[in-house]
Amino acid sequence: MLHIVGIQKTLGTWTSCGHVHLQRFFSHGTKTLYQSIDAPQSKFFLPLLKPMLPPNTFQGKVAFVTGGGTGLGKAMTTFLSSLGAQCVIASRNIDVLKATAEEISSKTGNKVHAIRCDIRDPDMVHNTVLELIKVAGHPDVVINNAAGNFVSPSERLSPNAWKTITDIVLNGTAYVTLEIGKQLIKAQKGAAFLAITTVYAESGSGFVMPSSSAKSGVEAMNKSLAAEWGRYGMRFNIIQPGPIKTKGAFSRLDPTGRFEKEMIERIPCGRLGTMEELANLATFLCSDYASWINGAVIRFDGGEEVFLSGEFNSLKKVTKEEWDIMEGLIRKTKGS
């Protein structure tokens, strides 16, 4: 999920609950911009939408998820709760949080707590962590999912625009991680941390420069702590989601709908990802099944990054007839 200020979700991701082979109607507000159908090869890559781990994988464990009220955060919380975890979700909009907590609890039968927190405020983060420990106990799972983003030419960015995104993405993640980490060290308790970043955190990307910079900082932070805090029983891993469609994301990162169809064309698997697939990967990385995975960065994008990186990958558009002509010309070439 990609986000803008006030939408506490994930950067670099587009999220969707859509099903393969069903026609999708991508819209901006109430206006349908166009209809999109997955590429033919998507039939080989059908998404499995149910939790893959055993039902009681997180029984007796506590999970804390920032940006847990909507989108990917909600999906991950739903899976964690269905697998037995007592979940605590946090974001700035307490009404949305409470509604989500009640919805998930009614589905899974496990209690979900909602705590209002603006992660940009270190004092509020401190109080949130104390409340988390009070109502549920020290967390076994911590997912830093809250984020903010919008597209803009960098020359149009104001200092406040830069500060807003970096305060949420980088500083907020640091405040949450350090506050919880210190409490865990004091209690001599381990935990699995997971950060949701974006595929362009490594490469950088034009027009989302603040989030790209902040997310790369989040990755460096988590890899640093993976090396340093393993001695305290903590693991730190990272997921870089590619195009997964979430409510509200496209209206901010693709407000005209111009680039939606182009995305599927550059994904070798021929479709967007689903929130359930991301939730399955997240729950695995936070489970004891992944107890020897630490400091890992998992790209989750249907092959988009490798397609964009390859110098000649655009040749997939060349037809068989055109290849016949090109092969003939190549064969006639003599010498170097």
Side-chain angles (χ1 to χ4, degrees), residues 3 33 48 87 101 151 154 177 230 233 247 249 256 270 287 306:
H3 300 274
L33 296 175
L48 298 179
C87 296
V151 291
S154 296
T177 302
K247 182 179 179 181
T256 67
S287 75
V306 291

Side-chain angles (χ1 to χ4, degrees), residues 9-331:
K9 308 235 181 216
T10 308
L11 291 183
T13 329
W14 314 73
T15 9
S16 151
C17 291
H19 297 279
V20 174
H21 295 141
L22 293 179
Q23 195 173 44
R24 290 193 179 96
F25 297 89
F26 295 162
S27 63
H28 178 213
T30 58
K31 179 182 177 183
T32 299
L33 296 175
Y34 71 86
Q35 299 172 5
S36 175
I37 297 177
D38 294 332
Q41 71 269 27
S42 67
K43 67 178 180 290
F44 298 109
F45 306 105
L46 299 177
L48 298 179
L49 305 180
K50 295 181 179 180
M52 67 180 184
L53 296 176
N56 296 319
T57 297
F58 291 93
Q59 194 68 41
K61 294 192 175 185
V62 175
F64 180 68
V65 183
T66 67
T70 57
L72 291 183
K74 181 179 179 179
M76 290 185 286
T77 302
T78 300
F79 271 44
L80 286 164
S81 181
S82 71
L83 295 170
Q86 180 180 185
C87 296
V88 180
I89 55 177
S91 74
R92 288 185 292 173
N93 192 326
I94 189 62
D95 293 333
V96 171
L97 279 178
K98 286 182 177 179
T100 295
E102 292 175 4
E103 177 186 341
I104 295 174
S105 293
S106 67
K107 290 179 179 178
T108 67
N110 291 320
K111 178 66 177 177
V112 178
H113 305 273
I115 303 177
R116 182 182 179 276
C117 181
D118 184 343
I119 62 172
R120 298 174 297 179
D121 183 341
D123 291 332
M124 187 175 286
V125 170
H126 174 75
N127 292 332
T128 296
V129 173
L130 293 181
E131 186 174 352
L132 157 68
I133 295 170
K134 180 179 178 181
V135 301
H138 289 80
D140 303 275
V141 172
V142 180
I143 300 181
N144 280 299
N145 168 69
N149 196 15
F150 57 86
V151 291
S152 174
S154 296
E155 65 270 22
R156 290 174 177 256
L157 292 172
S158 66
N160 186 60
W162 166 267
K163 185 176 186 298
T164 298
I165 299 304
T166 53
D167 274 355
I168 297 171
V169 177
L170 181 56
N171 293 340
T173 299
Y175 298 151
V176 170
T177 302
L178 292 172
E179 187 66 44
I180 292 178
K182 291 173 184 177
Q183 293 289 344
L184 291 171
I185 292 170
K186 188 185 303 183
Q188 297 185 338
K189 188 178 188 300
F193 285 74
L194 178 66
I196 308 299
T197 62
T198 172
V199 289
Y200 57 75
E202 291 183 28
S203 63
S205 176
F207 306 101
V208 284
M209 187 266 289
S211 74
S212 175
S213 303
K215 285 293 188 180
S216 64
V218 169
E219 293 196 355
M221 178 199 317
N222 278 269
K223 287 184 279 189
S224 299
L225 290 172
E228 184 180 352
W229 280 3
R231 58 184 172 155
Y232 297 125
M234 291 180 241
R235 296 188 295 116
F236 294 82
N237 292 301
I238 299 157
I239 297 177
Q240 299 177 335
I244 304 173
K245 192 172 182 179
T246 52
K247 182 179 179 181
F250 276 26
S251 63
R252 295 173 176 87
L253 295 166
D254 183 17
T256 67
R258 177 179 177 184
F259 301 108
E260 294 181 22
K261 191 172 184 180
E262 294 179 11
M263 280 184 195
I264 291 177
E265 293 176 355
R266 68 190 190 212
I267 298 173
C269 288
R271 65 171 174 85
L272 301 180
T274 69
M275 292 190 290
E276 293 87 352
E277 290 174 295
L278 187 283
N280 262 327
L281 176 58
T283 52
F284 167 70
L285 288 174
C286 293
S287 75
D288 291 340
Y289 291 97
S291 64
W292 210 55
I293 301 178
N294 186 31
V297 181
I298 310 297
R299 186 182 298 132
F300 178 73
D301 68 349
E304 182 188 33
E305 176 68 16
V306 291
F307 178 79
L308 293 175
S309 300
E311 184 74 20
F312 295 98
N313 286 338
S314 60
L315 291 178
K316 77 166 190 173
K317 297 180 180 179
V318 176
T319 66
K320 180 182 181 300
E321 292 74 20
E322 289 170 334
W323 274 118
D324 290 340
I325 296 171
M326 290 171 60
E327 182 178 345
L329 293 172
I330 292 169
R331 288 180 179 277

